[in-house]
Amino acid sequence: MNALVPLPVLLPLCVTGLKLVIGPRLHRFQRFISLAVLGAVLVLSVLLMVAADRHGPLSVHLGDFAPPVGITLVADRLSGLMLTVSSAVTLLVLVYSLGQGMADRDDQAPVGVFHPAYLILVAGVSCTFLAGDLVNLYVGFEIMLVASFVLLTIGGTATRIRAGSTYVIISLFSSVLFLVAIAMTYAVAGTVNFAQLAGRLQEVPIGVRTLLEAMLLTVFAIKAAVFPLAAWLPDSYPTAPAPVTAVFAGLLTKVGVYSMLRTQTLLFPGHRLGDLLMLAALASMAVGILGAVAQTDLKRVLSFTLISHIGYMVFGIGLAGRGSISGAIVYVAHHITVQTTLFLVAGLIERRDGTTELTRLGGLAKSAPLLAVLFFVPAMNLAGIPPLSGFIGKLGLMRAGVDAGGGWAWALVAGSAATSLLTLYVMAKVWNLAFWRDAPPGAEAEGVVLESAEDDEPGDDEDAEGAGTAGAAGGGGASGSGKATGSGSGLPVPAGAVVSAGFLGQSITTTKRLPWPMLAATGAAVALGLSYTVLGGPLTTFTQAAATELLARTPYIEAVLGR
C-alpha cells in the first residue's frame, strides 16, 4: 500500500501534461479523462484512509533516499480523511462545471487552460496533505496557488483581475514568509523533515522555537483566512466563476487549517501560543458572522460565514486536547462539503436569475422548489441544527471547551453558541429574502448578452429539459418580459429568458431550466454532507483515533524513521 501514497499527486500532474498536448480541440476526451482521473484519485484516497486506519501511517521515500535528503510522503488517518473529502468535493465540482459548460463552450475563454489548471490544483492540494516535510508542504502550496491564480482570473474581466491581484499579492507575501520560516528552521535544526523536527525542535531554545511557531502560524493563518488576516477573502472569492468559488471556499482555506493541525501537534506539542490561537478563533467567529449579517449579496454572505466558521477549527487547535482535535477534524470535513455546496447553490441561483443580490430575488421556494431544498439542507447544516453534522462538530468542540475550563475556553464556548445562533439568523434571512417572499416588483434581467439559449451546445442547457422543477416557470426576480437589450452587445434577449453570469464575467442568456449535471452534482454534494450525519458514530470514532495518533506523535515518527 505504501506504493499508492504518491499517486494522488502524480496522476493529476501526468494527465495535465497529456491535456496540454491535446489542447482544447477534443472536448469530449478532455471531459472524460478529467472525470476518470479524479474518480481514480477518490478511490486511491479511500484506500489510503482505510489502510492508515488499519495498519497505521504509510510512508514512502521517493527515489529511496532516506530523510533528510529524500522527499517523504506520509498518509495517516488525518491526511487520508482530508484526501477523501477533498477528492469527492473536487469531483463533484468538476461535474458541475461541465454541466455549466464553463470549461469548453465559450470561444473567447482560454478553454484549453481550465482542465489542466483544475487538475494541477487537485495535485497541489494532495501534495499538501501528504507532505512529510516543510519544503514539500511549501511546494504543494505553490502548485495549488499557481493553479488558483489562473482559475481565479480566467476570462480576464476587470473585476476578476482586480480581485486576483489582491489574492496574488497576499499569497506571494505568505509564500515569502513561509520560505523565511523554512530557512530558519533548517538553520537551527539541520532538517525540514517533520519526523526529525519532532525530536530536534525540542532541543532548540524556547525563544527560537516560539518564533518559528509564530511565523508558521502566521503563514497558515493567512491561507486559512483567520482574522485579522482574512480581509482579502470576501473581495476575492465571489468574483470567480461559481465552480471555482465553490472549490476555493470549501477546500483551499482548509489546507491552511490542516497545516496548522499538523505542525501544532507534531512540531510544537504543548505550544505556548494556545491563548493567541483562541483569541484569533473568537475574533474570527465574531467579525465573520457580524460581517455576514451586514451583507445583501449571497456570495458575500457565504464568504463572511466562511471566515466565521474557520474560527471553530482554530478553537479546536488552540485547546490542543484529544476531544478538541477530534472535533476540529470533524468540523473541517463537514465544512469543506457544506460550504462548497452552498456556493454551488449560489451558482445555480445566479445562472437562473442573473444575480445573487438578495434584494432582487424572491419567490424561489414556489418557482424552484428543488433549488430551495438544495439550499435549505446545507444551510441548516451550517447553522448546526441537530442532528446534522454541523451540530456534531460544534457539540464536540464545545464539550472539549467545557472539559478544559479556563477563561478562554469558556469565552469560546459562549462565542461558539452565539455564532451558531447568528449563522441560523443569517441563513433564515437569506431564505426569507430569496426563497420565501414574493419576487420584488420591477426586477429585471440586466447585463451583456453573449449568446442566446438556442446557441448552446447539446448537453448544456438543452439537456436540462428533464431536469424537473428547479427551472419551473414563474418567480425569479431576474426574468424579463418581452424583450430586453444587453447594454454591451445590442443583441435582444428572447422572451422568457434569463440573463446570468457567464464564464467571462459577461452575461449570457439561458432558459430557466438548469442543466441536469449541475443539479445532480449539487444534490450529490448535499447527500455527501448528510452522510456525515448518518455515519456520525463511525466518523467520530475515526477522528478520535486520528486525534490520539496526532497527539501521540510516535506512530508518525516511526512510520517515517523506523523504530
Side-chain angles (χ1 to χ4, degrees), residues 402-466:
V402 171
D403 292 341
W408 279 117
W410 280 107
L412 276 163
V413 169
S416 298
T419 300
S420 188
L421 291 173
L422 286 173
T423 302
L424 179 60
Y425 166 77
V426 169
M427 294 298 104
K429 171 185 172 182
V430 173
W431 175 262
N432 287 332
L433 291 177
F435 293 90
W436 199 247
R437 67 168 182 169
D438 293 332
E444 297 179 354
E446 299 175 357
V448 181
V449 178
L450 182 62
E451 57 181 335
S452 60
E454 57 267 23
D455 293 331
D456 290 348
E457 291 183 355
D460 197 337
D461 287 345
E462 288 88 337
D463 286 347
E465 291 298 322

Short mmCIF file of all heavy atoms in Angstrom, two decimals, residues 402-466:
data_model
loop_
_atom_site.label_atom_id
_atom_site.label_comp_id
_atom_site.label_asym_id
_atom_site.label_seq_id
_atom_site.Cartn_x
_atom_site.Cartn_y
_atom_site.Cartn_z
N VAL A 402 -15.69 22.98 27.58
CA VAL A 402 -16.19 22.86 28.95
C VAL A 402 -15.28 21.99 29.78
O VAL A 402 -14.96 22.30 30.95
CB VAL A 402 -17.63 22.29 28.93
CG1 VAL A 402 -18.09 21.96 30.36
CG2 VAL A 402 -18.58 23.29 28.28
N ASP A 403 -14.80 20.87 29.22
CA ASP A 403 -13.90 19.98 29.95
C ASP A 403 -12.56 20.65 30.25
O ASP A 403 -11.97 20.42 31.32
CB ASP A 403 -13.65 18.70 29.14
CG ASP A 403 -14.90 17.84 29.02
OD1 ASP A 403 -15.82 18.02 29.84
OD2 ASP A 403 -14.96 17.00 28.10
N ALA A 404 -12.07 21.49 29.31
CA ALA A 404 -10.79 22.14 29.53
C ALA A 404 -10.88 23.22 30.61
O ALA A 404 -9.96 23.41 31.40
CB ALA A 404 -10.28 22.74 28.22
N GLY A 405 -12.00 23.94 30.64
CA GLY A 405 -12.16 25.01 31.61
C GLY A 405 -11.24 26.18 31.31
O GLY A 405 -10.52 26.22 30.30
N GLY A 406 -11.24 27.16 32.16
CA GLY A 406 -10.40 28.34 31.95
C GLY A 406 -11.17 29.44 31.24
O GLY A 406 -12.20 29.20 30.57
N GLY A 407 -10.67 30.65 31.37
CA GLY A 407 -11.35 31.82 30.82
C GLY A 407 -11.54 31.77 29.32
O GLY A 407 -12.64 32.01 28.81
N TRP A 408 -10.44 31.48 28.59
CA TRP A 408 -10.53 31.48 27.14
C TRP A 408 -11.45 30.37 26.65
O TRP A 408 -12.22 30.56 25.69
CB TRP A 408 -9.15 31.31 26.52
CG TRP A 408 -8.35 32.57 26.46
CD1 TRP A 408 -7.18 32.84 27.09
CD2 TRP A 408 -8.69 33.75 25.72
NE1 TRP A 408 -6.77 34.12 26.81
CE2 TRP A 408 -7.67 34.69 25.96
CE3 TRP A 408 -9.75 34.10 24.89
CZ2 TRP A 408 -7.68 35.96 25.39
CZ3 TRP A 408 -9.77 35.37 24.32
CH2 TRP A 408 -8.74 36.28 24.57
N ALA A 409 -11.37 29.21 27.26
CA ALA A 409 -12.21 28.09 26.83
C ALA A 409 -13.69 28.43 27.01
O ALA A 409 -14.51 28.20 26.11
CB ALA A 409 -11.85 26.83 27.61
N TRP A 410 -14.05 29.00 28.15
CA TRP A 410 -15.46 29.36 28.38
C TRP A 410 -15.90 30.48 27.45
O TRP A 410 -17.04 30.49 26.97
CB TRP A 410 -15.66 29.76 29.83
CG TRP A 410 -15.78 28.58 30.75
CD1 TRP A 410 -14.87 28.13 31.65
CD2 TRP A 410 -16.90 27.69 30.83
NE1 TRP A 410 -15.33 27.02 32.30
CE2 TRP A 410 -16.58 26.72 31.82
CE3 TRP A 410 -18.13 27.61 30.18
CZ2 TRP A 410 -17.45 25.69 32.16
CZ3 TRP A 410 -19.01 26.59 30.52
CH2 TRP A 410 -18.67 25.65 31.50
N ALA A 411 -14.99 31.43 27.18
CA ALA A 411 -15.34 32.51 26.25
C ALA A 411 -15.62 31.95 24.85
O ALA A 411 -16.54 32.40 24.15
CB ALA A 411 -14.20 33.53 26.19
N LEU A 412 -14.83 30.95 24.45
CA LEU A 412 -15.04 30.36 23.13
C LEU A 412 -16.29 29.50 23.08
O LEU A 412 -16.95 29.41 22.04
CB LEU A 412 -13.81 29.54 22.73
CG LEU A 412 -12.71 30.40 22.10
CD1 LEU A 412 -11.38 29.68 22.09
CD2 LEU A 412 -13.10 30.78 20.69
N VAL A 413 -16.62 28.84 24.18
CA VAL A 413 -17.88 28.10 24.23
C VAL A 413 -19.05 29.05 24.03
O VAL A 413 -19.97 28.78 23.23
CB VAL A 413 -18.00 27.32 25.55
CG1 VAL A 413 -19.41 26.77 25.71
CG2 VAL A 413 -16.98 26.19 25.61
N ALA A 414 -19.02 30.17 24.74
CA ALA A 414 -20.09 31.16 24.58
C ALA A 414 -20.08 31.76 23.17
O ALA A 414 -21.14 31.94 22.55
CB ALA A 414 -19.93 32.27 25.63
N GLY A 415 -18.89 32.07 22.66
CA GLY A 415 -18.79 32.61 21.31
C GLY A 415 -19.27 31.64 20.25
O GLY A 415 -19.90 32.03 19.26
N SER A 416 -18.99 30.35 20.47
CA SER A 416 -19.44 29.33 19.51
C SER A 416 -20.96 29.26 19.47
O SER A 416 -21.57 29.17 18.39
CB SER A 416 -18.86 27.96 19.89
OG SER A 416 -17.46 27.97 19.84
N ALA A 417 -21.58 29.29 20.65
CA ALA A 417 -23.04 29.25 20.71
C ALA A 417 -23.65 30.49 20.04
O ALA A 417 -24.61 30.38 19.26
CB ALA A 417 -23.49 29.13 22.15
N ALA A 418 -23.10 31.67 20.34
CA ALA A 418 -23.63 32.90 19.75
C ALA A 418 -23.44 32.91 18.23
O ALA A 418 -24.34 33.31 17.48
CB ALA A 418 -22.94 34.11 20.38
N THR A 419 -22.28 32.45 17.77
CA THR A 419 -22.02 32.41 16.33
C THR A 419 -22.97 31.45 15.63
O THR A 419 -23.45 31.72 14.52
CB THR A 419 -20.56 31.98 16.07
OG1 THR A 419 -19.68 32.93 16.69
CG2 THR A 419 -20.27 31.92 14.58
N SER A 420 -23.25 30.33 16.27
CA SER A 420 -24.18 29.37 15.69
C SER A 420 -25.57 29.96 15.56
O SER A 420 -26.25 29.80 14.52
CB SER A 420 -24.21 28.10 16.54
OG SER A 420 -24.96 27.08 15.92
N LEU A 421 -26.02 30.68 16.58
CA LEU A 421 -27.34 31.32 16.52
C LEU A 421 -27.39 32.41 15.45
O LEU A 421 -28.38 32.53 14.71
CB LEU A 421 -27.69 31.91 17.89
CG LEU A 421 -27.98 30.90 19.00
CD1 LEU A 421 -28.15 31.61 20.34
CD2 LEU A 421 -29.22 30.07 18.68
N LEU A 422 -26.32 33.20 15.34
CA LEU A 422 -26.28 34.24 14.31
C LEU A 422 -26.19 33.63 12.91
O LEU A 422 -26.72 34.20 11.95
CB LEU A 422 -25.11 35.18 14.56
CG LEU A 422 -25.30 36.16 15.73
CD1 LEU A 422 -24.02 36.93 16.01
CD2 LEU A 422 -26.45 37.12 15.44
N THR A 423 -25.51 32.49 12.79
CA THR A 423 -25.50 31.80 11.50
C THR A 423 -26.90 31.37 11.10
O THR A 423 -27.30 31.50 9.94
CB THR A 423 -24.56 30.58 11.55
OG1 THR A 423 -23.24 30.99 11.92
CG2 THR A 423 -24.50 29.88 10.20
N LEU A 424 -27.65 30.86 12.07
CA LEU A 424 -29.04 30.49 11.80
C LEU A 424 -29.84 31.72 11.38
O LEU A 424 -30.67 31.65 10.45
CB LEU A 424 -29.65 29.86 13.05
CG LEU A 424 -31.12 29.43 12.95
CD1 LEU A 424 -31.30 28.39 11.85
CD2 LEU A 424 -31.61 28.89 14.29
N TYR A 425 -29.59 32.86 12.04
CA TYR A 425 -30.27 34.10 11.66
C TYR A 425 -29.93 34.49 10.22
O TYR A 425 -30.82 34.87 9.44
CB TYR A 425 -29.89 35.23 12.62
CG TYR A 425 -30.26 36.60 12.10
CD1 TYR A 425 -31.58 37.05 12.16
CD2 TYR A 425 -29.30 37.43 11.53
CE1 TYR A 425 -31.93 38.30 11.67
CE2 TYR A 425 -29.63 38.68 11.04
CZ TYR A 425 -30.95 39.11 11.11
OH TYR A 425 -31.28 40.34 10.61
N VAL A 426 -28.66 34.40 9.86
CA VAL A 426 -28.23 34.78 8.51
C VAL A 426 -28.86 33.86 7.47
O VAL A 426 -29.36 34.31 6.42
CB VAL A 426 -26.69 34.75 8.42
CG1 VAL A 426 -26.24 34.88 6.97
CG2 VAL A 426 -26.08 35.86 9.25
N MET A 427 -28.86 32.55 7.73
CA MET A 427 -29.46 31.62 6.78
C MET A 427 -30.96 31.85 6.68
O MET A 427 -31.54 31.74 5.59
CB MET A 427 -29.17 30.19 7.21
CG MET A 427 -27.69 29.79 7.16
SD MET A 427 -26.99 29.85 5.49
CE MET A 427 -26.02 31.37 5.57
N ALA A 428 -31.61 32.17 7.79
CA ALA A 428 -33.04 32.48 7.76
C ALA A 428 -33.30 33.76 6.96
O ALA A 428 -34.30 33.86 6.22
CB ALA A 428 -33.58 32.62 9.18
N LYS A 429 -32.43 34.72 7.09
CA LYS A 429 -32.55 35.97 6.32
C LYS A 429 -32.46 35.69 4.82
O LYS A 429 -33.27 36.19 4.03
CB LYS A 429 -31.45 36.94 6.76
CG LYS A 429 -31.32 38.19 5.89
CD LYS A 429 -30.12 39.01 6.33
CE LYS A 429 -29.84 40.15 5.36
NZ LYS A 429 -28.64 40.92 5.76
N VAL A 430 -31.47 34.89 4.42
CA VAL A 430 -31.34 34.53 3.01
C VAL A 430 -32.59 33.78 2.54
O VAL A 430 -33.11 34.03 1.45
CB VAL A 430 -30.07 33.67 2.80
CG1 VAL A 430 -30.02 33.14 1.37
CG2 VAL A 430 -28.82 34.47 3.11
N TRP A 431 -33.06 32.85 3.35
CA TRP A 431 -34.24 32.07 2.98
C TRP A 431 -35.46 32.98 2.80
O TRP A 431 -36.20 32.84 1.82
CB TRP A 431 -34.51 31.02 4.06
CG TRP A 431 -35.76 30.24 3.83
CD1 TRP A 431 -36.99 30.45 4.39
CD2 TRP A 431 -35.92 29.13 2.94
NE1 TRP A 431 -37.90 29.54 3.92
CE2 TRP A 431 -37.28 28.71 3.02
CE3 TRP A 431 -35.06 28.43 2.10
CZ2 TRP A 431 -37.78 27.63 2.29
CZ3 TRP A 431 -35.55 27.37 1.36
CH2 TRP A 431 -36.90 26.97 1.46
N ASN A 432 -35.66 33.89 3.72
CA ASN A 432 -36.82 34.77 3.64
C ASN A 432 -36.77 35.68 2.42
O ASN A 432 -37.77 35.90 1.74
CB ASN A 432 -36.95 35.62 4.91
CG ASN A 432 -37.41 34.80 6.10
OD1 ASN A 432 -38.10 33.81 5.95
ND2 ASN A 432 -37.02 35.22 7.30
N LEU A 433 -35.60 36.24 2.13
CA LEU A 433 -35.48 37.19 1.02
C LEU A 433 -35.50 36.50 -0.33
O LEU A 433 -36.17 36.95 -1.26
CB LEU A 433 -34.19 38.00 1.18
CG LEU A 433 -34.14 39.00 2.34
CD1 LEU A 433 -32.79 39.68 2.41
CD2 LEU A 433 -35.25 40.03 2.20
N ALA A 434 -34.74 35.41 -0.48
CA ALA A 434 -34.58 34.80 -1.79
C ALA A 434 -35.64 33.75 -2.10
O ALA A 434 -36.01 33.57 -3.26
CB ALA A 434 -33.19 34.18 -1.91
N PHE A 435 -36.13 33.06 -1.08
CA PHE A 435 -36.98 31.91 -1.33
C PHE A 435 -38.43 32.11 -0.87
O PHE A 435 -39.35 31.71 -1.58
CB PHE A 435 -36.40 30.67 -0.62
CG PHE A 435 -35.10 30.21 -1.19
CD1 PHE A 435 -33.89 30.71 -0.70
CD2 PHE A 435 -35.05 29.29 -2.22
CE1 PHE A 435 -32.69 30.29 -1.23
CE2 PHE A 435 -33.86 28.86 -2.75
CZ PHE A 435 -32.66 29.36 -2.26
N TRP A 436 -38.64 32.70 0.29
CA TRP A 436 -39.96 32.66 0.90
C TRP A 436 -40.87 33.79 0.45
O TRP A 436 -42.05 33.59 0.18
CB TRP A 436 -39.82 32.67 2.42
CG TRP A 436 -41.04 32.20 3.14
CD1 TRP A 436 -41.88 32.93 3.92
CD2 TRP A 436 -41.59 30.88 3.13
NE1 TRP A 436 -42.90 32.16 4.40
CE2 TRP A 436 -42.74 30.87 3.94
CE3 TRP A 436 -41.20 29.68 2.51
CZ2 TRP A 436 -43.52 29.74 4.14
CZ3 TRP A 436 -41.97 28.55 2.71
CH2 TRP A 436 -43.12 28.58 3.52
N ARG A 437 -40.34 35.01 0.37
CA ARG A 437 -41.18 36.14 -0.01
C ARG A 437 -41.47 36.10 -1.51
O ARG A 437 -40.82 35.40 -2.29
CB ARG A 437 -40.48 37.46 0.33
CG ARG A 437 -39.24 37.71 -0.50
CD ARG A 437 -38.72 39.13 -0.36
NE ARG A 437 -37.55 39.35 -1.20
CZ ARG A 437 -37.03 40.54 -1.43
NH1 ARG A 437 -37.58 41.61 -0.90
NH2 ARG A 437 -35.96 40.67 -2.20
N ASP A 438 -42.42 36.90 -1.93
CA ASP A 438 -42.71 37.03 -3.35
C ASP A 438 -41.59 37.81 -4.04
O ASP A 438 -40.88 38.60 -3.41
CB ASP A 438 -44.04 37.76 -3.56
CG ASP A 438 -45.22 36.95 -3.05
OD1 ASP A 438 -45.12 35.70 -3.06
OD2 ASP A 438 -46.23 37.55 -2.63
N ALA A 439 -41.45 37.59 -5.33
CA ALA A 439 -40.44 38.31 -6.09
C ALA A 439 -40.71 39.80 -6.04
O ALA A 439 -41.86 40.22 -6.19
CB ALA A 439 -40.42 37.83 -7.54
N PRO A 440 -39.69 40.63 -5.81
CA PRO A 440 -39.91 42.08 -5.74
C PRO A 440 -40.39 42.61 -7.07
O PRO A 440 -39.96 42.15 -8.13
CB PRO A 440 -38.53 42.63 -5.36
CG PRO A 440 -37.57 41.58 -5.80
CD PRO A 440 -38.27 40.28 -5.63
N PRO A 441 -41.30 43.58 -7.08
CA PRO A 441 -41.81 44.13 -8.35
C PRO A 441 -40.73 44.89 -9.10
O PRO A 441 -39.86 45.53 -8.50
CB PRO A 441 -42.94 45.06 -7.89
CG PRO A 441 -42.57 45.44 -6.49
CD PRO A 441 -41.89 44.23 -5.91
N GLY A 442 -40.77 44.77 -10.42
CA GLY A 442 -39.86 45.56 -11.25
C GLY A 442 -38.49 44.97 -11.40
O GLY A 442 -37.61 45.60 -12.00
N ALA A 443 -38.26 43.76 -10.84
CA ALA A 443 -36.94 43.15 -11.01
C ALA A 443 -36.78 42.70 -12.44
O ALA A 443 -37.61 41.99 -12.99
CB ALA A 443 -36.81 41.95 -10.07
N GLU A 444 -35.71 43.13 -13.08
CA GLU A 444 -35.48 42.79 -14.48
C GLU A 444 -34.06 42.30 -14.66
O GLU A 444 -33.15 42.67 -13.93
CB GLU A 444 -35.69 44.02 -15.38
CG GLU A 444 -37.13 44.54 -15.34
CD GLU A 444 -37.29 45.76 -16.21
OE1 GLU A 444 -36.28 46.25 -16.74
OE2 GLU A 444 -38.43 46.22 -16.37
N ALA A 445 -33.88 41.48 -15.67
CA ALA A 445 -32.54 40.99 -16.00
C ALA A 445 -31.74 42.12 -16.63
O ALA A 445 -32.25 42.90 -17.41
CB ALA A 445 -32.64 39.82 -16.97
N GLU A 446 -30.50 42.19 -16.25
CA GLU A 446 -29.61 43.21 -16.78
C GLU A 446 -28.31 42.57 -17.19
O GLU A 446 -27.94 41.52 -16.70
CB GLU A 446 -29.32 44.29 -15.73
CG GLU A 446 -30.58 45.01 -15.26
CD GLU A 446 -30.26 45.98 -14.14
OE1 GLU A 446 -29.08 46.03 -13.73
OE2 GLU A 446 -31.17 46.69 -13.70
N GLY A 447 -27.56 43.22 -18.08
CA GLY A 447 -26.24 42.74 -18.40
C GLY A 447 -26.01 42.64 -19.89
O GLY A 447 -26.85 42.98 -20.71
N VAL A 448 -24.87 42.15 -20.25
CA VAL A 448 -24.45 42.00 -21.63
C VAL A 448 -24.86 40.62 -22.12
O VAL A 448 -24.60 39.63 -21.45
CB VAL A 448 -22.93 42.17 -21.77
CG1 VAL A 448 -22.51 42.03 -23.23
CG2 VAL A 448 -22.51 43.53 -21.24
N VAL A 449 -25.51 40.55 -23.27
CA VAL A 449 -25.91 39.27 -23.83
C VAL A 449 -24.77 38.72 -24.65
O VAL A 449 -24.32 39.34 -25.60
CB VAL A 449 -27.17 39.42 -24.70
CG1 VAL A 449 -27.54 38.08 -25.31
CG2 VAL A 449 -28.31 39.96 -23.87
N LEU A 450 -24.28 37.55 -24.28
CA LEU A 450 -23.16 36.94 -25.00
C LEU A 450 -23.66 36.00 -26.08
O LEU A 450 -23.17 35.98 -27.20
CB LEU A 450 -22.26 36.18 -24.03
CG LEU A 450 -21.02 35.53 -24.62
CD1 LEU A 450 -20.12 36.60 -25.21
CD2 LEU A 450 -20.29 34.74 -23.56
N GLU A 451 -24.64 35.17 -25.75
CA GLU A 451 -25.23 34.29 -26.74
C GLU A 451 -26.60 33.86 -26.23
O GLU A 451 -26.87 33.87 -25.04
CB GLU A 451 -24.35 33.06 -26.96
CG GLU A 451 -24.07 32.26 -25.71
CD GLU A 451 -23.18 31.07 -26.00
OE1 GLU A 451 -23.18 30.60 -27.14
OE2 GLU A 451 -22.50 30.63 -25.07
N SER A 452 -27.46 33.49 -27.15
CA SER A 452 -28.82 33.11 -26.77
C SER A 452 -28.89 31.65 -26.45
O SER A 452 -28.00 30.87 -26.79
CB SER A 452 -29.78 33.46 -27.90
OG SER A 452 -29.43 32.74 -29.07
N ALA A 453 -29.98 31.25 -25.81
CA ALA A 453 -30.11 29.88 -25.33
C ALA A 453 -30.09 28.88 -26.46
O ALA A 453 -29.58 27.78 -26.32
CB ALA A 453 -31.40 29.73 -24.53
N GLU A 454 -30.66 29.27 -27.63
CA GLU A 454 -30.70 28.29 -28.71
C GLU A 454 -29.33 28.01 -29.31
O GLU A 454 -29.16 27.07 -30.07
CB GLU A 454 -31.66 28.77 -29.81
CG GLU A 454 -31.32 30.14 -30.38
CD GLU A 454 -32.08 31.23 -29.64
OE1 GLU A 454 -32.49 31.00 -28.50
OE2 GLU A 454 -32.28 32.31 -30.22
N ASP A 455 -28.31 28.82 -28.96
CA ASP A 455 -26.96 28.58 -29.46
C ASP A 455 -26.16 27.66 -28.59
O ASP A 455 -25.03 27.33 -28.92
CB ASP A 455 -26.21 29.92 -29.58
CG ASP A 455 -26.80 30.80 -30.66
OD1 ASP A 455 -27.37 30.25 -31.63
OD2 ASP A 455 -26.70 32.02 -30.51
N ASP A 456 -26.69 27.26 -27.42
CA ASP A 456 -25.94 26.41 -26.51
C ASP A 456 -25.65 25.07 -27.14
O ASP A 456 -26.43 24.56 -27.95
CB ASP A 456 -26.72 26.18 -25.21
CG ASP A 456 -26.79 27.44 -24.38
OD1 ASP A 456 -26.05 28.38 -24.72
OD2 ASP A 456 -27.61 27.47 -23.44
N GLU A 457 -24.54 24.47 -26.74
CA GLU A 457 -24.19 23.16 -27.23
C GLU A 457 -25.13 22.12 -26.67
O GLU A 457 -25.65 22.26 -25.57
CB GLU A 457 -22.76 22.79 -26.79
CG GLU A 457 -21.70 23.61 -27.47
CD GLU A 457 -20.34 23.14 -27.03
OE1 GLU A 457 -20.29 22.27 -26.15
OE2 GLU A 457 -19.36 23.63 -27.57
N PRO A 458 -25.35 21.03 -27.41
CA PRO A 458 -26.10 19.92 -26.82
C PRO A 458 -25.38 19.43 -25.58
O PRO A 458 -24.16 19.37 -25.55
CB PRO A 458 -26.09 18.85 -27.93
CG PRO A 458 -25.87 19.63 -29.19
CD PRO A 458 -25.00 20.79 -28.80
N GLY A 459 -26.16 19.06 -24.59
CA GLY A 459 -25.53 18.59 -23.35
C GLY A 459 -25.40 19.69 -22.33
O GLY A 459 -24.95 19.47 -21.23
N ASP A 460 -25.75 20.95 -22.76
CA ASP A 460 -25.70 22.03 -21.77
C ASP A 460 -27.12 22.32 -21.30
O ASP A 460 -27.74 21.53 -20.64
CB ASP A 460 -25.02 23.26 -22.40
CG ASP A 460 -24.56 24.24 -21.35
OD1 ASP A 460 -25.10 24.23 -20.23
OD2 ASP A 460 -23.66 25.01 -21.65
N ASP A 461 -27.67 23.49 -21.70
CA ASP A 461 -28.99 23.83 -21.20
C ASP A 461 -30.07 22.93 -21.79
O ASP A 461 -31.09 22.68 -21.16
CB ASP A 461 -29.31 25.29 -21.51
CG ASP A 461 -28.53 26.22 -20.62
OD1 ASP A 461 -27.98 25.75 -19.61
OD2 ASP A 461 -28.47 27.40 -20.93
N GLU A 462 -29.89 22.47 -23.06
CA GLU A 462 -30.90 21.63 -23.65
C GLU A 462 -31.06 20.33 -22.89
O GLU A 462 -32.11 19.72 -22.86
CB GLU A 462 -30.54 21.32 -25.10
CG GLU A 462 -30.70 22.52 -26.04
CD GLU A 462 -29.45 23.37 -26.10
OE1 GLU A 462 -28.66 23.28 -25.14
OE2 GLU A 462 -29.25 24.09 -27.07
N ASP A 463 -29.98 19.86 -22.29
CA ASP A 463 -30.04 18.62 -21.53
C ASP A 463 -30.91 18.76 -20.31
O ASP A 463 -31.26 17.77 -19.67
CB ASP A 463 -28.63 18.21 -21.09
CG ASP A 463 -27.84 17.67 -22.27
OD1 ASP A 463 -28.44 17.40 -23.33
OD2 ASP A 463 -26.64 17.53 -22.10
N ALA A 464 -31.24 20.00 -19.95
CA ALA A 464 -31.98 20.21 -18.73
C ALA A 464 -33.48 20.12 -18.92
O ALA A 464 -34.24 20.39 -18.01
CB ALA A 464 -31.63 21.59 -18.14
N GLU A 465 -33.93 19.74 -20.13
CA GLU A 465 -35.36 19.69 -20.36
C GLU A 465 -36.07 18.76 -19.37
O GLU A 465 -37.21 18.96 -19.00
CB GLU A 465 -35.64 19.23 -21.79
CG GLU A 465 -35.24 20.26 -22.85
CD GLU A 465 -36.02 21.53 -22.70
OE1 GLU A 465 -37.23 21.47 -22.39
OE2 GLU A 465 -35.43 22.61 -22.86
N GLY A 466 -35.35 17.73 -18.94
CA GLY A 466 -35.94 16.82 -17.98
C GLY A 466 -35.44 17.04 -16.58
O GLY A 466 -35.53 16.16 -15.75
#
